[in-house]
Amino acid sequence: MDKIKRITDMMEHPELYSEDDFQQALLDGDSRLTFKTIADLEAALDAESETPLAESEEPRHSTSPLWHKIAAAVVGICLLSGVAYAAVVSGVFSSAPKQDVVVSADSVSTVGKTQYVEVKDDGKTIDIRKLFENATLEQVLHDIGYANRKVVAFRTDSVRQLRLYYEWNSRHGLNKNIEELNRFEKINITVKGDSLIVD
């Protein structure tokens, strides 16, 4: 908006600026477009005020600085819309391309009460090894269900908050992981279709 204000001021008070200032402003494509738009608007307003008035019409007021502010606002909105459109079309807001993910065990990061140990993506399958420490059964099953595209359903809420220590390896398969979890006391998980049912 500073550029538009400067151009508007240059057009209203040309005596305050040198010819070099005008040349510098005209080198920028956006500034040149703004100059042209404001000049066209002023020419249209002048042409309208020079037309003879019908007897029934009242005389119109001459162009005031308010019109310049309105013109500058319209030009600013048009320029910002054009820049936003160009950014979207050129892909400025697009996400980074997907890459194979390999996280080594020495770069373990803690997320809440769990640690990511290893994630390998060969392009077809994802092998995940994850260590849950003092994590709720709900957290553990959420991750296992998500990786296996299963919905988790708890029939009793008391089981949700059971805390456990569990090392999950997705390479073992869903049935083996469920079998290991069912060895814990008070846990009974069954696989039915697209759901993991917890009793």
Side-chain angles (χ1 to χ4, degrees):
M1 290 303 272
D2 294 334
K3 199 184 286 188
I4 294 172
K5 285 182 182 178
R6 179 181 164 93
I7 292 169
T8 306
D9 190 54
M10 289 175 81
M11 293 189 78
E12 287 180 359
H13 306 289
E15 68 277 358
L16 299 177
Y17 297 92
S18 68
E19 188 173 327
D20 289 337
D21 291 335
F22 282 100
Q23 291 296 327
Q24 197 71 13
L26 290 174
L27 289 177
D28 181 34
D30 291 338
S31 298
R32 191 171 45 251
L33 179 64
T34 305
F35 267 119
K36 183 176 180 344
T37 305
I38 292 174
D40 290 346
L41 182 63
E42 284 183 348
L45 290 173
D46 287 343
E48 185 179 340
S49 66
E50 291 174 3
T51 56
L53 296 174
E55 293 180 13
S56 62
E57 289 184 3
E58 295 181 15
R60 297 184 183 186
H61 299 289
S62 63
T63 306
S64 66
L66 175 63
W67 283 106
H68 294 281
K69 291 178 182 177
I70 293 171
V74 169
V75 169
I77 290 170
C78 292
L79 286 175
L80 288 176
S81 299
V83 168
Y85 177 75
V88 169
V89 169
S90 66
V92 170
F93 298 114
S94 65
S95 61
K98 294 183 179 179
Q99 300 175 353
D100 290 346
V101 178
V102 177
V103 180
S104 62
D106 60 335
S107 63
V108 173
S109 63
T110 303
V111 180
K113 300 285 185 189
T114 64
Q115 289 184 335
Y116 285 97
V117 179
E118 186 177 3
V119 178
K120 289 184 181 176
D121 183 358
D122 64 3
K124 296 178 183 174
T125 60
I126 298 177
D127 291 331
I128 303 170
R129 290 188 62 208
K130 187 172 180 180
L131 178 64
F132 294 93
E133 291 182 278
N134 196 24
T136 64
L137 181 61
E138 185 174 22
Q139 290 171 324
V140 174
L141 287 180
H142 174 270
D143 290 356
I144 293 173
Y146 183 78
N148 291 284
R149 294 182 180 94
K150 302 284 184 194
V151 177
V152 180
F154 287 86
R155 290 194 177 159
T156 58
D157 285 336
S158 61
V159 186
R160 272 181 208 264
Q161 300 307 317
L162 286 177
R163 299 219 168 252
L164 51 110
Y165 176 93
Y166 179 67
E167 186 173 350
W168 169 42
N169 187 343
S170 67
R171 183 177 289 174
H172 294 156
L174 177 62
N175 290 330
K176 176 78 171 162
N177 294 136
I178 297 302
E179 182 182 316
E180 290 173 353
L181 285 170
N182 281 337
R183 289 183 193 152
F184 287 96
E185 191 176 319
K186 299 181 182 177
I187 296 177
N188 183 21
I189 306 166
T190 55
V191 180
K192 290 187 180 177
D194 291 338
S195 301
L196 298 176
I197 310 295
V198 186
D199 292 316

